Amino acid sequence: MTDATNEDKAPKLFISYRWSCKEHEEWVVALATSLVSLSVDVKLDRWHLKEGQDALAFMESMVTDDNIDKVLLICDRGYVERADEREGGVGVESQIVSAKVYNSTSQTKFAAAVLEYDAAGKPLLPVYLTNRIYFDLSTQERFTLGLEQIVRWCYGRPFYIAPKLGKRPGFLNETYEASPENAVNASRLRATQFAGYTSRVDAATDLLRSIEKESSSLLLTLIGKPDADELVITRFLDSCSDLDSVYQAFAVLLNSSTNAVDIIHGFLNDIGKHWDSHPMNIQYSKLDNDALRMFAQCCLIGLIAVGIKERRFLEVGEILAIPFFRPDSDNRTGKASLWTSYCDTYYILNNVRNTRLQNNRISVFADVAKDALLRIGTVTFEQFLEADLTLYLRSILEARASQAGPAWYPMTGVFATHTFGSLPLFVHGESAAFWRRVEPMLGVDGVDQVRHAIEPYRSGEKNAIRFDYEYLNLPILFNVEKLSNR
């Protein structure tokens, strides 16, 4: 019998060990008891060898019995010495086991539990088991993990399994008339672009570069076209795979030790260059840039979402602190642009779409972003909403310092007006140690700055962003009273 496949049936395990001292025997019994409590049917001489039975015959029957699923060899120094020298009961058993190991086709029935290491740091194992798997039970700290590994081995349920084979990629049915470079950069191939790179950082960097080069395709020419708002939204939703690739690249870079801040900032900077661009001597619609603007805004919000998810608050804070360059029409000179410039309230798109469809939606961007995030997997809409509101808080903090109004309008906040609880990040922020890590992302030094900035909204002196008739409850959303209290 091989691995147990019936989950309702407890696998049978025989434990082989050397009778040395009482302490060692009691340790083996304790191990066996733990395994039994985890639904492994352990066969142990201490329990199953009856008076008058031959001990060697019992061991031989256990090792050769096809009804025994697994055999675990407890390898301390004494066991290994007797096994290699073929002495005593262990030696006889080793001759049987070694023959089974060498001749077995499945080679999954026998494994060792290592209790000691030699002076060179190598596990003490019989020669015939030197190159086979073993479980490390050498210390109390390693025992818990080793015990779980043994149970998984008995049940044929390892820690790691190979992923399921995916579907045949659709791009195999397509050809490209453009250059090979353009074919490699095509968005439909981006899902496989990490493959083949020796460095995931290099792959992520190249991925962002190729997406930035193609971002101008999000600029549309809509003058005189019917249903222009639908064309904007369709073009943006067509870029969802690119958006997911951007988020994946952000995660790789933020978790690397390279210059992630410069690479990500450079990508956002280059995407932002197209924010106000429009072709010369061609009629221009105010909707022409909205698909690109939505994409760029989702890239920035997604960066915060990934940063929160990966706990990379310092790096995100550094990216937000560096001004962006917005070029003049000559593309040679320009002006500084802050991260808040990546926010657009889309009044034109809202008005055009609501007028055409008569659906009176409060935020087209929120609706479309939610639809987009349901199509991808790296960032959820809930994480995106939290990131959008976190940027709103940072803009409030920056506005307080400059005596101006907040420059970030959290368009997805329409889904947070009926809230009775706090955002996850700010619940975690009740821990003083965790909150200190979050502060660089908000650009603050101390929780009191947040409390002072939110106090006017708590007292009613100021009103937060309102969606229709509902205001955002900032003191509750940001858990202001409980921040850094633990």
Side-chain angles (χ1 to χ4, degrees):
M1 181 180 276
T2 56
D3 292 0
T5 57
N6 186 346
E7 294 189 4
D8 295 328
K9 180 182 178 182
K12 293 182 179 180
L13 169 71
F14 171 60
I15 296 181
S16 169
Y17 68 104
R18 174 178 175 258
W19 296 346
S20 54
C21 63
K22 183 177 180 180
E23 289 77 11
H24 181 59
E25 291 176 22
E26 292 301 326
W27 185 92
V28 173
V29 170
L31 171 64
T33 302
S34 297
L35 290 169
V36 170
S37 72
L38 295 170
S39 196
V40 177
D41 185 3
V42 176
K43 304 300 179 184
L44 187 68
D45 58 0
R46 182 83 165 262
W47 297 336
H48 298 97
L49 180 62
K50 306 302 180 183
E51 290 81 359
Q53 286 186 314
D54 186 297
L56 290 179
F58 172 76
M59 288 188 290
E60 182 177 352
S61 68
M62 290 291 102
V63 170
T64 58
D65 189 349
D66 289 338
N67 290 317
I68 298 296
D69 300 298
K70 303 291 184 182
V71 176
L72 183 66
L73 313 173
I74 307 299
C75 296
D76 61 353
R77 189 176 299 277
Y79 186 97
V80 172
E81 290 175 352
R82 290 201 174 190
D84 288 344
E85 296 171 7
R86 297 294 195 263
E87 288 186 0
V90 171
V92 173
E93 186 178 326
S94 296
Q95 295 181 47
I96 300 170
V97 172
S98 59
K100 285 279 186 180
V101 168
Y102 291 136
N103 296 328
S104 173
T105 54
S106 66
Q107 297 196 3
T108 61
K109 183 171 182 175
F110 300 91
V114 170
L115 271 60
E116 297 180 67
Y117 286 75
D118 64 17
K122 296 181 179 180
L124 288 176
L125 289 166
V127 171
Y128 67 89
L129 288 176
T130 301
N131 296 319
R132 298 183 64 81
I133 66 165
Y134 63 88
F135 306 108
D136 191 344
L137 304 180
S138 60
T139 66
Q140 187 60 41
E141 291 75 16
R142 296 173 180 174
F143 182 86
T144 301
L145 176 59
L147 180 65
E148 180 178 345
Q149 290 174 325
I150 292 171
V151 175
R152 286 179 171 275
W153 168 63
C154 290
Y155 273 94
R157 296 291 185 269
F159 276 105
Y160 308 107
I161 60 174
K164 293 181 180 179
L165 191 65
K167 294 181 179 179
R168 184 178 183 271
F171 62 74
L172 294 177
N173 300 323
E174 301 180 12
T175 58
Y176 299 93
E177 295 180 0
S179 67
E181 180 182 359
N182 289 337
V184 170
N185 287 335
S187 61
R188 59 180 55 89
L189 294 178
R190 290 208 179 93
T192 60
Q193 196 159 0
F194 282 115
Y197 281 83
T198 57
S199 167
R200 286 175 61 81
V201 171
D202 290 343
T205 303
D206 285 354
L207 187 58
L208 293 182
R209 286 172 181 163
S210 66
I211 290 174
E212 184 278 318
K213 287 178 181 178
E214 295 175 21
S215 62
S216 58
S217 66
L218 289 164
L219 298 172
L220 306 176
T221 303
L222 300 173
I223 193 73
K225 291 186 178 180
D227 302 340
D229 59 297
E230 195 67 39
L231 296 175
V232 169
I233 291 171
T234 299
R235 183 65 191 90
F236 169 73
L237 291 177
D238 285 344
S239 70
C240 282
S241 61
D242 287 352
L243 193 60
D244 199 38
S245 295
V246 169
Y247 295 162
Q248 292 178 41
F250 284 168
V252 169
L253 292 167
L254 289 174
N255 283 304
S256 72
S257 58
T258 62
N259 53 337
V261 170
D262 293 333
I263 296 171
I264 295 174
H265 182 273
F267 167 76
L268 293 172
N269 185 83
D270 292 342
I271 290 285
K273 287 179 179 178
H274 304 299
W275 191 270
D276 294 313
S277 66
H278 59 273
M280 299 295 291
N281 303 319
I282 296 178
Q283 285 186 306
Y284 176 76
S285 162
K286 291 184 178 180
L287 291 172
D288 285 3
N289 290 20
D290 275 0
L292 181 135
R293 289 182 177 183
M294 281 194 285
F295 184 84
Q297 187 169 349
C298 284
C299 286
L300 181 65
I301 298 173
L303 168 64
I304 310 307
V306 172
I308 293 173
K309 185 178 178 180
E310 302 294 334
R311 301 296 193 251
R312 295 295 178 177
F313 309 115
L314 179 62
E315 291 85 350
V316 169
E318 289 181 11
I319 293 169
L320 295 178
I322 304 172
F324 297 96
F325 174 79
R326 285 282 171 86
D328 297 325
S329 58
D330 62 6
N331 285 320
R332 292 188 294 272
T333 58
K335 58 183 180 296
S337 177
L338 302 180
W339 63 269
T340 51
S341 66
Y342 285 77
C343 180
D344 195 324
T345 52
Y346 303 99
Y347 286 127
I348 299 298
L349 181 58
N350 280 355
N351 292 338
V352 170
R353 191 162 184 78
N354 283 330
T355 299
R356 184 174 69 84
L357 299 178
Q358 295 295 306
N359 56 8
N360 198 32
R361 298 299 293 171
I362 296 173
S363 171
V364 171
F365 174 79
D367 292 337
V368 176
K370 189 172 185 179
D371 189 3
L373 292 163
L374 288 174
R375 303 182 182 200
I376 64 180
T378 305
V379 170
T380 66
F381 179 71
E382 289 73 23
Q383 293 166 337
F384 190 88
L385 170 62
E386 179 181 48
D388 198 11
L389 291 170
T390 299
L391 287 173
Y392 180 44
L393 175 58
R394 177 167 175 135
S395 73
I396 291 172
L397 292 163
E398 292 181 354
R400 184 174 183 271
S402 63
Q403 301 299 313
W408 184 268
Y409 194 100
M411 292 296 293
T412 60
V414 66
F415 290 103
T417 53
H418 299 288
T419 178
F420 300 97
S422 305
L423 296 167
L425 176 67
F426 298 91
V427 172
H428 300 322
E430 292 181 14
S431 161
F434 182 84
W435 177 253
R436 283 194 293 272
R437 294 168 56 197
V438 174
E439 288 179 346
M441 183 175 65
L442 296 173
V444 298
D445 183 17
V447 71
D448 286 342
Q449 294 180 37
V450 176
R451 293 200 175 104
H452 292 156
I454 297 299
E455 175 57 27
Y457 299 93
R458 188 195 65 79
S459 66
E461 179 184 341
K462 289 183 178 181
N463 290 323
I465 291 293
R466 186 180 73 178
F467 295 96
D468 203 5
Y469 300 104
E470 296 279 349
Y471 289 96
L472 292 175
N473 191 334
L474 303 188
I476 297 298
L477 281 170
F478 300 131
N479 200 24
V480 174
E481 296 301 320
K482 296 181 181 180
L483 288 178
S484 194
N485 277 348
R486 296 174 185 262

